[in-house]
Amino acid sequence: MDVDAFRADLEQHRRFRVEQLDELTADLWAGSDDAIDEVASALMAAAETALADIDAALHRIDEGSYGLCRECGGAIAVDRLMALPMAGLCMFCQFAQEASGLHGEHPPWRRRGMRPAPAQPSPTVPHRSAHPGPQPRDIVDIWGYDSFPASDPPANW
């Protein structure tokens, strides 16, 4: 893996985000329309989040942990890093985080007190069960983590 190429790409992304934030700040100071100010504020928040992710990736390069998942410690696929050089999680951990996050809410099958079936460990991805203890048997485990009960399939099936 060519870390110098990733560093150059991240620095280019960083310059873009800094310029974007400067322009959005100027737009807010000149703000004459509440709707434009609201959009500019939302764009600023997104740009600040992206800039923080970029800075974190540059820090990981400096400390020698770039390309390793922050959660499980496994390698992040080079294809993922090429598409999203600031990625700090492997695909499995990213999916698990998004599935359990959902803006602070749990999916409906988790709100009812059900726990997902334990995932079958993948030979390439380490697994850590987020819910120890006995698991219900009516879970359809198609994704390997936090699937849904067979009695409550998604509406698009």
Side-chain angles (χ1 to χ4, degrees):
M1 179 168 67
D2 185 12
V3 177
D4 292 331
F6 285 111
R7 179 188 297 275
D9 194 22
L10 285 164
E11 287 172 350
Q12 180 181 1
H13 281 285
R14 189 177 196 294
R15 283 190 296 275
F16 169 76
R17 292 300 178 180
V18 168
E19 290 172 8
Q20 183 184 29
L21 283 170
D22 289 343
E23 291 175 11
L24 290 169
T25 302
D27 289 348
L28 279 176
W29 280 103
S32 60
D33 185 3
D34 288 339
I36 292 173
D37 289 348
E38 187 175 334
V39 170
S41 294
L43 289 173
M44 278 186 73
E48 288 168 349
T49 300
L51 186 59
D53 290 343
I54 292 166
D55 286 340
L58 288 169
H59 178 72
R60 288 192 302 275
I61 288 175
D62 291 339
E63 70 178 13
S65 63
Y66 183 75
L68 299 176
C69 180
R70 292 186 330 248
E71 188 67 27
C72 70
I76 300 174
V78 175
D79 291 341
R80 176 168 169 75
L81 291 173
M82 289 174 67
L84 191 65
M86 65 283 298
L89 299 174
C90 65
M91 287 298 294
F92 179 81
C93 292
Q94 182 72 41
F95 174 75
Q97 184 183 52
E98 289 174 3
S100 66
L102 295 177
H103 307 290
E105 296 181 21
H106 292 293
W109 61 91
R110 302 258 320 267
R111 283 195 291 259
R112 283 182 267 165
M114 296 186 73
R115 290 186 236 159
Q120 300 301 318
S122 168
T124 58
V125 179
H127 178 267
R128 290 178 288 166
S129 177
H131 304 285
Q135 305 292 319
R137 293 187 176 265
D138 70 332
I139 299 291
V140 177
D141 193 15
I142 60 172
W143 294 106
Y145 180 80
D146 209 11
S147 293
F148 50 87
S151 60
D152 188 21
N156 60 351
W157 271 30

